[in-house]
Amino acid sequence: MNKTILVASIVIIIIVAGVAVYFATRPEEEKTVTPTEQTTTTQTTEHHAVEHATESTTMQHAEEMPAEEASQQLPARELGGRNKICVVYDIGGRGDLSFNDMAYLGASKAAKDFGLDLVEVQSTSESDYLPNLRTLARSGKCAVIVAVGFLMTDAVKQVADEHPDQLFAIIDGYIEGKPNVLSVLFKEHEGSALAGALAGMLAHYYGCKAVGVVLGMEIPVLYKFEAGYYWGIRYGEKIYEQHTGQQVEPLKIFFTYTGTFNDPAKGKQATEAQLAQGACIVYNVAGATGLGIFEAVEEAAKREGKDMGPPFAIGVDADQDWIKPGFIIASMMKRVDVGVYTAVKRALDYYNGKVDQYGGVLELGLAEGGVALSKLEDLETFLNMAVEAGTIKPEQKQEIYEKVKAMREQIPDWIWEEAYKLGDTLKTNKDIEVYGLKFSDIEKMIPLDSKEIKEIRDKLKVG
Amino acid sequence: MPEWLRRGLLRFGESVLSLVIGLLVGAIVVYVSGYDPVEAYRSLFEMSFLDIYGLSTSLSAAAPIMLTGITFAVGVRAGLFNIGAEGQLYIGALGAVLVAWIARNWVPALDSPLGTVAAYALGVILAVGLALIAALLKVKRGVHEVVSTIMLNWIAFWVVEYFRVYIVYNPEDPSKTVSVPEQARLPLLMAHSELSLAIIVSIAFTLLTYFLLWHTVEGYELRAAGLNPLAARYAGIKPEKAVILSFLIGGIAAGLAGAGEVLGKPPNYSITTGLSNLYGLGFDGITVALIGANHPIGIIFAAFFVGGLKAGARYMQIFAGIPLEMVRIVEGVIIIALAIPGVFHMLSEYLRRRKELRELQARGE
């Protein structure tokens, strides 16, 4: 018995000695890095002065140096040791082949282009958002902290107030009135209009009577998807009539809110109901619930002995065309990577004095490359992402690519051209009118509430 | 040297030894994967325990798992394997949210410390209710508590999910429930941190459990029944009573943990989508109890340590650049190493009891 006590005490002595050695040998500089309460408080009180000071010195430097040299050298120096791009993912995290992986894509590209380090933090629980953001802000090393996902809105609001000297960006979240927060939003209605136009033309081409959309939770962002999609469908029908010279009967349009973003079973059920009523294109606006849409569409086609649509689904957020090759006609891409990259660039521009104001809302649409209808070229990027995540094997890549290509080729080129052309048109001219509703009218109504979306549905004869 | 001190030191020595082994194995894993183990541990321990904000984060992470640790430990002391803390914690959180919901819609007077008390009370009542189902199934029908508590955990999960989606959801942000009104929230112990009064509640209840188990007749009976139900019955103790009492204490602890998570965790003060701010806190309690040798005092330290590890995941990511998956492996290794003595003791205790029972039965008891 005494032996065990002896062993225990020896172990304790070793530990104490180890800790002592650790403290004796740890590098001195680390002490200054570890932020203490004191520095934080001084930072906060001096913040306004500091902010102005940095701004003015940056301007001076920019004047002194030739412009080109300035843009290359200034960030690191003027950022005062803020040489990192810090990205906080929400609980979905990396490996979702969509939102978060795209954020990584954008952040790593920005890190490479601007010569900064990339720090990534994944959140294991909802309660992690606040401490993750706080720790990054306190470290004082982040040129900008990018919070990926609207779930972090509250946490960003709070930490941004505590650290007014730190720049933040939130993707998909709306935070107003903070000079140090940039809200990156997407014009989902623009991309959805292209998806709708494609759906409208395709449905008539295949001679079906209806198209549909399956949605997640009923939140205002999704109204933007809805409105754009319906408008696009009616526009597509008009173009189809013009091109073929025949009168067509207007399509029936179905929409179903499943109330969830992560229940594929519900997505499948809703899609089956729409297919049964004659829909042949179903747009996925439901996150992971949408995986059920793809399944339903694939099963319906296979029941008829086809290994390719119709019926088709339309993917969302990422280029999802590869998930069920041959059954997802295209995807409405919401380029989170572009959003993150743009946010980092804006932060650096602010440090460089190229822009005087950082905070505010940054809306990315067709013109900014923030939303787009997927093309065959986009597939490559996302296939690589899927390979990296281990979802598909490298040898499957070529096969999937060929299948998607074959699917696209069975549709007349003019339909594709018209769909992409609408994208170019909407960049400059939003006054195109269908059913007495201009695209710009829809845009003016944003943010949409439940009454306004009803009005739009009525005008475009939906449901 | 008094017996309790000798045993305490022994357990402490065991834990320290396990920790060293765990750290070594973890370091090897990190090194083999191409990262710097020294940097990894430095960022983990320096930030988790030596930095003032890091310390507050570790403590706030410790608050719920200390209580769910008690749930498991009191079960073990009564000879039970109660893994129902997870579900009871969900339900406890739901109780707090229900009070917030009532305050928002009908009773604005609950936007006050009165609301805090009401939220804790309802959370505890609901959690105890759930725990008692398992207790009664055990006592009346002999349903093994592992089976019943696992099933009840899922029932609780989906009940709370149902409430979150359809009833107590926040109209402004349907991804979460309504938030606790401002005056009813637990005050923060440190500005700009997540550390709230919940930690004090946790420590207080843990100490109370210690007093209950070691300084009251009921506690003595509970432990005696756990050590040997037959001998206890012979001595006039009802093992059924011990089962119910242990589920009762466990339910209160888990209920406090769940309500505390809602009442004292900024910025949401609510239940979020998929219960993602609650998920796993009950099971973490098992780890804490094993490391803390199922003793309330040990659990306080174990919860603090595990809380530090949990909080440390972010520091290893941020300051040592180690991806989360690797961090989880390392922490898993450390935790397993630390839990081994606990598992060993529990297992040998279980085997000893079974052997004694067999012998008794063989003698015709």
Side-chain angles (χ1 to χ4, degrees):
Chain A
M1 281 300 142
N2 279 328
K3 216 189 276 173
T4 39
I5 299 170
L6 194 69
V7 172
S9 14
I10 290 172
V11 170
I12 294 165
I13 291 165
I14 294 174
I15 298 298
V16 172
V19 171
V21 169
Y22 163 78
F23 275 105
T25 56
R26 85 180 160 147
E28 282 301 302
E29 45 158 19
E30 286 296 322
K31 276 179 192 163
T32 51
V33 170
T34 316
T36 61
E37 270 299 285
Q38 216 180 350
T39 51
T40 330
T41 41
T42 46
Q43 265 174 6
T44 353
T45 48
E46 281 174 11
H47 117 78
H48 282 296
V50 171
E51 209 169 61
H52 281 288
T54 357
E55 211 171 303
S56 55
T57 47
T58 324
M59 299 291 254
Q60 273 172 13
H61 271 278
E63 277 161 26
E64 281 164 21
M65 290 185 190
E68 236 185 293
E69 209 178 321
S71 67
Q72 280 174 354
Q73 291 185 353
L74 276 176
R77 200 187 301 167
E78 296 303 320
L79 292 165
R82 293 184 185 274
N83 59 348
K84 293 186 164 87
I85 299 171
C86 302
V87 180
V88 183
Y89 301 110
D90 70 10
I91 42 172
R94 286 285 307 284
D96 61 355
L97 299 171
S98 180
F99 210 76
N100 290 291
D101 279 341
M102 286 165 90
Y104 166 74
L105 218 64
S108 58
K109 185 165 180 285
K112 217 171 88 187
D113 288 1
F114 304 123
L116 298 172
D117 292 336
L118 175 62
V119 173
E120 297 174 88
V121 192
Q122 302 218 34
S123 308
T124 49
S125 134
E126 198 88 13
S127 332
D128 274 347
Y129 299 155
L130 200 53
N132 281 349
L133 292 165
R134 271 185 176 142
T135 307
L136 287 171
R138 281 170 51 97
S139 78
K141 293 275 179 96
C142 304
V144 57
I145 299 175
V146 184
V148 183
F150 85 107
L151 290 176
M152 267 178 270
T153 310
D154 285 344
V156 171
K157 262 187 211 162
Q158 195 159 344
V159 184
D161 283 341
E162 290 165 16
H163 296 269
D165 53 330
Q166 171 73 57
L167 301 187
F168 294 87
I170 177 147
I171 308 294
D172 243 11
Y174 179 62
I175 297 173
E176 54 184 337
K178 295 201 199 303
N180 59 334
V181 181
L182 183 69
S183 308
V184 181
L185 301 173
F186 295 87
K187 295 184 181 169
E188 291 93 350
H189 51 288
E190 292 189 354
S192 297
L194 306 198
L198 180 65
M201 290 185 282
L202 269 186
H204 285 300
Y205 173 71
Y206 284 114
C208 30
K209 296 263 174 286
V211 292
V213 52
V214 172
L215 306 108
M217 274 179 188
E218 191 161 350
I219 50 178
V221 187
L222 297 207
Y223 294 154
K224 277 159 80 183
F225 282 92
E226 265 196 79
Y229 184 59
Y230 303 150
W231 186 91
I233 293 168
R234 296 309 181 203
Y235 173 84
E237 288 186 293
K238 204 173 86 178
I239 295 294
Y240 188 84
E241 284 184 340
Q242 279 173 14
H243 201 275
T244 57
Q246 50 186 217
Q247 280 289 99
V248 294
E249 198 185 320
L251 291 164
K252 270 194 238 165
I253 305 176
F254 305 124
F255 67 95
T256 315
Y257 275 98
T258 55
T260 164
F261 284 111
N262 50 14
D263 190 347
K266 277 196 182 155
K268 192 172 174 184
Q269 207 182 359
T271 310
E272 277 165 354
Q274 295 192 353
L275 294 174
Q277 293 177 72
C280 64
I281 319 269
V282 180
Y283 183 22
N284 164 24
V285 189
T289 301
L291 298 175
I293 302 177
F294 301 154
E295 250 175 59
V297 167
E298 185 189 28
E299 279 177 19
K302 289 203 165 149
R303 264 200 302 274
E304 294 171 31
K306 295 190 275 194
D307 74 333
M308 224 177 247
F312 288 112
I314 298 175
V316 78
D317 289 353
D319 183 344
Q320 297 186 310
D321 304 3
W322 60 271
I323 295 179
K324 296 276 183 200
F327 300 99
I328 300 167
I329 190 68
S331 299
M332 198 293 272
M333 296 190 297
K334 184 163 150 180
R335 299 300 298 261
V336 177
D337 52 339
V338 175
V340 172
Y341 188 91
T342 317
V344 173
K345 190 163 175 304
R346 190 177 169 85
L348 295 178
D349 282 350
Y350 173 73
Y351 284 117
N352 283 335
K354 282 187 196 160
V355 290
D356 294 334
Q357 203 191 335
Y358 170 76
V361 176
L362 184 68
E363 270 198 287
L364 301 176
L366 289 165
E368 296 83 8
V371 292
L373 190 66
S374 65
K375 293 185 172 163
L376 205 51
E377 299 93 84
D378 297 310
L379 195 58
E380 191 73 26
T381 317
F382 287 86
L383 278 174
N384 287 337
M385 209 152 91
V387 169
E388 202 183 316
T391 315
I392 55 171
K393 295 189 192 81
E395 57 268 25
Q396 289 175 301
K397 238 174 75 176
Q398 196 54 32
E399 189 191 328
I400 292 173
Y401 186 86
E402 293 300 332
K403 185 142 189 215
V404 172
K405 197 166 164 232
M407 172 192 73
R408 284 179 167 249
E409 278 166 1
Q410 74 172 23
I411 293 154
D413 282 344
W414 70 264
I415 292 187
W416 288 111
E417 278 159 21
E418 284 293 347
Y420 292 119
K421 209 174 88 189
L422 175 62
D424 291 331
T425 315
L426 284 181
K427 281 181 201 168
T428 50
N429 175 20
K430 291 192 172 157
D431 289 333
I432 311 165
E433 198 176 297
V434 286
Y435 282 42
L437 192 67
K438 287 182 192 159
F439 193 77
S440 52
D441 293 339
I442 295 178
E443 196 149 73
K444 267 182 226 142
M445 289 160 94
I446 292 170
L448 299 168
D449 61 30
S450 54
K451 222 178 82 196
E452 287 165 332
I453 189 69
K454 268 204 190 90
E455 209 179 296
I456 292 173
R457 283 179 202 146
D458 287 344
K459 274 200 173 157
L460 295 171
K461 310 229 175 336
V462 175
Chain B
M1 188 183 285
E3 173 68 12
W4 63 267
L5 183 62
R6 194 189 66 81
R7 277 175 61 171
L9 270 181
L10 192 65
R11 288 306 301 262
F12 184 71
E14 275 175 0
S15 295
V16 171
L17 195 64
S18 325
L19 178 63
V20 171
I21 294 170
L23 287 175
L24 278 176
V25 177
I28 293 169
V29 174
V30 171
Y31 183 74
V32 169
S33 315
Y35 300 96
D36 182 358
V38 178
E39 194 58 34
Y41 287 141
R42 202 222 311 280
S43 47
L44 170 60
F45 291 107
E46 204 167 78
M47 285 302 291
S48 285
F49 300 110
L50 299 176
D51 175 71
I52 177 81
Y53 172 67
L55 190 69
S56 77
T57 314
S58 304
L59 281 170
S60 84
I65 58 181
M66 189 183 295
L67 288 168
T68 51
I70 286 291
T71 306
F72 184 76
V74 175
V76 172
R77 289 286 173 187
L80 297 166
F81 203 83
N82 174 7
I83 50 177
E86 185 80 14
Q88 290 154 26
L89 179 130
Y90 298 158
I91 291 283
L94 179 64
V97 167
L98 280 173
V99 170
W101 181 63
I102 291 168
R104 183 191 169 108
N105 291 324
W106 296 289
V107 194
L110 285 174
D111 185 2
S112 64
L114 188 71
T116 319
V117 176
Y120 262 129
L122 188 59
V124 165
I125 288 170
L126 291 178
V128 165
L130 191 72
L132 284 184
I133 296 176
L136 289 177
L137 283 172
K138 170 93 182 171
V139 173
K140 297 280 178 206
R141 284 280 174 270
V143 177
H144 199 282
E145 68 279 2
V146 170
V147 178
S148 61
T149 48
I150 286 183
M151 294 172 107
L152 285 167
N153 281 347
W154 283 110
I155 292 172
F157 180 91
W158 290 111
V159 166
V160 177
E161 264 296 85
Y162 181 85
F163 271 81
R164 182 187 69 77
V165 174
Y166 293 105
I167 299 174
V168 291
Y169 64 88
N170 183 344
E172 284 109 53
D173 180 358
S175 72
K176 57 194 180 206
T177 66
V178 292
S179 295
V180 176
E182 257 170 59
Q183 299 303 317
R185 294 170 187 178
L186 289 172
L188 293 178
L189 298 182
M190 187 178 124
H192 304 330
S193 77
E194 296 89 55
L195 183 62
S196 69
L197 207 64
I199 184 71
I200 306 289
V201 173
S202 298
I203 293 174
F205 187 79
T206 307
L207 292 176
L208 182 71
T209 317
Y210 170 74
F211 176 79
L212 260 169
L213 287 186
W214 271 271
H215 295 281
T216 64
V217 177
E218 284 76 15
Y220 174 79
E221 291 182 351
L222 186 149
R223 286 184 296 125
L227 284 171
N228 190 332
L230 286 180
R233 194 187 291 276
Y234 185 71
I237 296 168
K238 282 194 182 133
E240 291 83 7
K241 201 175 136 198
V243 169
I244 301 228
L245 185 65
S246 111
F247 268 108
L248 185 71
I249 298 173
I252 295 173
L256 287 174
E261 273 302 278
V262 170
L263 290 167
K265 268 283 158 69
N268 291 329
Y269 296 99
S270 61
I271 300 175
T272 54
T273 169
L275 314 195
S276 71
N277 60 335
L278 304 173
Y279 194 81
L281 293 175
F283 293 124
D284 286 342
I286 300 178
T287 317
V288 168
L290 284 174
I291 295 175
N294 295 318
H295 190 288
I297 306 302
I299 283 174
I300 291 181
F301 290 103
F304 180 44
F305 183 77
V306 175
L309 276 188
K310 278 173 70 119
R314 83 177 47 90
Y315 312 126
M316 284 164 87
Q317 289 187 75
I318 294 173
F319 298 105
I322 298 174
L324 182 65
E325 289 73 18
M326 180 59 54
V327 171
R328 282 186 163 157
I329 294 174
V330 172
E331 293 188 346
V333 167
I334 296 174
I335 282 176
I336 288 172
L338 273 173
I340 281 174
V343 172
F344 180 76
H345 284 289
M346 215 167 69
L347 211 65
S348 59
E349 179 67 18
Y350 176 73
L351 290 174
R352 180 194 62 78
R353 217 171 59 205
R354 213 171 65 164
K355 200 174 135 214
E356 276 178 14
L357 277 173
R358 286 253 171 83
E359 275 167 14
L360 279 172
Q361 276 161 354
R363 265 187 250 152
E365 264 284 322

